[in-house]
Amino acid sequence: MQVLYPRCAGSDVHKDIVVARVRCVSEPRHDEVKSFETTTAALVELEEWLSNHAVSHVAMEATGVYWKPVWHLLEEHFELVLANASTSAMFRDAKRT
């Protein structure tokens, strides 16, 4: 399979927490999962963590409006993709069949 984004991250956005995974397949390789609160200070820490790993693209999975503050903080620094959790679940279920 061809790698499209060698330095990317995925995140699951909740009301009180963001769980993010950095996945870098180019040097220096890195794979780490980390949780952040949804306070402004913690979201700045998330942005710094992603930047420190030279991430270029971030996919966010969220429901409701909890993704909005995260999006606004990250949009100046990364290419973002927003996935609706219910739609993502359909694709996961389809892969199983």
Side-chain angles (χ1 to χ4, degrees):
M1 180 187 316
Q2 179 185 2
V3 175
L4 297 178
Y5 307 111
R7 305 195 71 75
C8 61
S11 61
D12 194 2
V13 182
H14 301 274
K15 180 181 178 183
D16 298 320
I17 196 165
V18 176
V19 180
R21 179 180 185 181
V22 167
R23 177 81 182 212
C24 302
V25 296
S26 62
E27 295 299 330
R29 293 179 177 267
H30 194 74
D31 189 357
E32 180 181 2
V33 177
K34 199 168 178 181
S35 296
F36 300 86
E37 294 179 356
T38 54
T39 63
T40 301
L43 293 178
V44 168
E45 183 182 337
L46 167 64
E47 184 274 319
E48 291 171 351
W49 181 67
L50 296 170
S51 293
N52 287 340
H53 293 293
V55 166
S56 61
H57 291 73
V58 178
M60 299 188 316
E61 182 181 67
T63 55
V65 297
Y66 303 127
W67 60 272
K68 289 182 179 183
V70 181
W71 182 281
H72 291 300
L73 189 117
L74 298 180
E75 70 181 332
E76 294 180 29
H77 308 279
F78 310 99
E79 290 289 326
L80 301 177
V81 175
L82 178 63
N84 182 297
S86 63
T87 304
S88 300
M90 284 191 325
F91 290 116
R92 281 193 299 267
D93 293 341
K95 287 170 52 175
R96 293 182 189 144
T97 58

